[in-house]
Amino acid sequence: MVEFFHMGGYAAYVWPVYALGLLVPLALAVQSLADYRRQLRLAEALEREAGGRVRRAAHKPDTEQGL
Amino acid sequence: MTHAFFALIVRDLRLAARIGGGGGMAVFFFLVVVAAVPLGIGPAPDLLARIAPGMLWVALLLSSLLTLDRLFHADYEDGTLDLLAMGRVPLELVVAAKAIGHFLTTGLPLVIAAPLLGLMLNLDVAAFPALMLAMLVGAPALSFLGVIGAGLTVGVRRGGLLASLLVLPFYLPVLIFGVSAARAAMAGFPAGVAGQSLLLLAAVTLVSLVIGPVAAAAALRANLR
Amino acid sequence: MSPMTSLSASQRLQAFANPARFMALSARLLAPLWVVSLGFLGVGLYYALFASPPDYQQGETVRIMYVHVPSAWLAMFGYSVMAMASAVALIFRHPLADLCAKSAAPIGAAFTFLALVTGALWGKPMWGAWWVWDARLTSVLILFFLYLGYMALWTAIEEPTRAARAAAVLALVGAINVPIIRYSVDWWNTLHQPASVFRMDGPTIAPEMLLPLALMAFGFTFLFVTLLLVRMRAEILRHRVRMLRLAQAAARAED
């Protein structure tokens, strides 16, 4: 086990690589999902607030249906 | 059509020569950058001689970048660019005229000033013709690639810095081939490298002559709508 | 809606990939995509760290390759996705293609960054220096600059349709220039090849190393696609929020 963490003397290089390899994609995923949720909440809030009239005005074909 | 094309170039040259046109600024900047180098790295003649071609090329790149925002900015502000875009001359040709104007006001003076600065950096006199030839061949590419950055950032507040950022990666092949053409004329390089790098530099310039106007015109059309 | 046969080709294309359909389709795809990418990455990590032997020449540092090479692959893959989406956006004027290019950029940039940092961490034990101006490292660094410039252009132009067109032009010019830059850097590198530096021509890959490499590459690629879909969905919602706000402002102005 100790030998495994030692990585043949290259622990100082191998482990940071794996740490970054996990952290960078993880940070990207967290940021992407957070942004998605934020936009979803905003869109829902705006639709609720707007009610009927603006909703009709906002109905362009390309933004229609079950977003 | 050709008449309008040359009229555009002459107009840009006149504007640059006018007081407040900033025509001489690029050469002055070139001089200041080159003068800053020995102060930064020390005055040892052999060291300066070794880095001189690279230094002169980097200074040329920087002067070219710093003058990019002048290309379209004034014409965009006063609406001239809209008129040019709607005119009978294709926008690609307008852009090409602008790029030629940029080369004549920044690239060409710097090429002429290069030997003087080369002497100050203790560059081998035998390398002067190769250096100047390479700069003459490569500098148009800097202008024709530069218009892309200028076109993309027209109308963007403080777009000059952004334009430099966008364009600099595209300048790197010009830098690489240009420097090696000059350095190969100095001692210690295998024969044939100078000619080969000059040819490659010419190829890069030819490619930029095509994609520069096309891309910059497309960028301008996107930004002028 | 009228039958498909009565629609023109371009209308059919619009119908095929309109944002609403994209939202419905991507919603169904996301869960399986997450499972597949995390599955590949989990198994890949096991093989990369435990079930593969150290290299006879590079020792344990070869394990760095299992993160570094897939990242470098995605750095290039990301730019190709961006360039192709930009071409589609410019030719067919399709709004989804713009969003695809915009969404691909940060993901590609993140993997390019990862490739650079892991390259430095591999270089230190192999070359004895954190950074060498090796042809490959240098061109990946320039690729990173291209990504940053592309993203900077999107944020600099406020009006989305204008930003999209300009960014698409930049991505395409970049795509034409990438091979030229790559060639010039290679050429420059052979000219200045320092003799003392240990040259690493990519380890000849043994089969037991190919498996973890392939697993990690698949995992990262699926993760790329998953994140791309998530970001594209966020962009579509952002567009919708903008439309709703404009409509709201217009309605207020009428009152």
Side-chain angles (χ1 to χ4, degrees), chain C residues 105-163:
Chain C
I107 314 176
F111 280 111
T112 312
F113 173 74
L114 192 57
L116 284 172
V117 178
T118 55
L121 282 164
W122 202 4
K124 184 63 181 164
M126 286 297 102
W127 292 321
W130 294 107
W131 184 267
V132 237
W133 291 92
D134 161 75
R136 260 180 273 178
L137 278 177
T138 310
S139 18
V140 173
L141 181 67
I142 297 170
L143 187 64
F144 188 56
F145 294 157
L146 290 178
Y147 274 120
L148 292 188
Y150 178 85
M151 293 195 290
L153 188 60
W154 264 104
T155 48
I157 303 177
E158 279 159 32
E159 214 255 301
T161 45
R162 233 181 85 181

Side-chain angles (χ1 to χ4, degrees), chain C residues 180-193:
Chain C
I180 301 177
I181 295 172
R182 186 64 220 254
Y183 176 78
S184 67
V185 169
D186 277 343
W187 191 84
W188 163 80
N189 196 245
T190 50
L191 207 64
H192 294 263
Q193 192 64 65

Side-chain angles (χ1 to χ4, degrees), chain C:
Chain C
M1 192 190 266
S2 53
M4 284 299 256
T5 44
S6 69
L7 296 175
S8 74
S10 75
Q11 276 174 317
R12 215 175 301 155
L13 193 74
Q14 293 271 329
F16 177 66
N18 84 23
R21 277 175 204 223
F22 174 81
M23 286 305 264
L25 187 70
S26 60
R28 255 178 289 145
L29 278 174
L30 271 179
L33 272 173
W34 277 114
V35 171
V36 171
S37 15
L38 293 182
F40 266 116
L41 285 176
V43 180
L45 272 179
Y46 169 74
Y47 272 97
L49 285 172
F50 301 99
S52 64
D55 186 67
Y56 75 100
Q57 223 179 2
Q58 304 190 35
E60 304 283 353
T61 55
V62 78
R63 303 194 193 282
I64 294 174
M65 176 178 76
Y66 306 135
V67 177
H68 174 73
V69 170
S71 318
W73 143 247
L74 280 183
M76 284 178 284
F77 177 71
Y79 201 89
S80 336
V81 169
M82 222 172 84
M84 281 188 287
S86 300
V88 171
L90 278 183
I91 298 165
F92 300 107
R93 299 283 153 89
H94 199 285
L96 265 184
D98 279 325
L99 298 186
C100 177
K102 185 188 182 188
S103 308
I107 314 176
F111 280 111
T112 312
F113 173 74
L114 192 57
L116 284 172
V117 178
T118 55
L121 282 164
W122 202 4
K124 184 63 181 164
M126 286 297 102
W127 292 321
W130 294 107
W131 184 267
V132 237
W133 291 92
D134 161 75
R136 260 180 273 178
L137 278 177
T138 310
S139 18
V140 173
L141 181 67
I142 297 170
L143 187 64
F144 188 56
F145 294 157
L146 290 178
Y147 274 120
L148 292 188
Y150 178 85
M151 293 195 290
L153 188 60
W154 264 104
T155 48
I157 303 177
E158 279 159 32
E159 214 255 301
T161 45
R162 233 181 85 181
R165 296 288 299 283
V169 170
L170 178 66
L172 282 184
V173 173
I176 297 170
N177 265 286
V178 161
I180 301 177
I181 295 172
R182 186 64 220 254
Y183 176 78
S184 67
V185 169
D186 277 343
W187 191 84
W188 163 80
N189 196 245
T190 50
L191 207 64
H192 294 263
Q193 192 64 65
S196 60
V197 167
F198 174 73
R199 188 127 172 84
M200 187 173 55
D201 283 318
T204 41
I205 295 175
E208 57 266 35
M209 290 171 189
L210 200 60
L211 179 66
L213 187 61
L215 286 170
M216 293 294 279
F218 275 118
F220 271 12
T221 309
F222 275 110
L223 189 67
F224 183 101
V225 176
T226 314
L227 291 176
L228 184 65
L229 287 188
V230 171
R231 294 193 81 96
M232 283 177 72
R233 288 168 65 82
E235 290 301 329
I236 290 174
L237 288 177
R238 202 190 311 281
H239 174 73
R240 184 160 173 72
V241 166
R242 194 181 137 83
M243 284 301 164
L244 282 163
R245 283 209 173 121
L246 287 176
Q248 202 176 40
R252 286 219 181 107
E254 271 172 37
D255 289 340

Side-chain angles (χ1 to χ4, degrees), chain B residues 27 30-31 34-35 56 110 113-123:
Chain B
V27 183
F30 192 58
L31 186 67
V34 172
L56 291 174
L110 297 193
L116 181 67
L117 293 166
L119 282 177
M120 289 168 74
L121 289 178
N122 198 33
L123 179 66

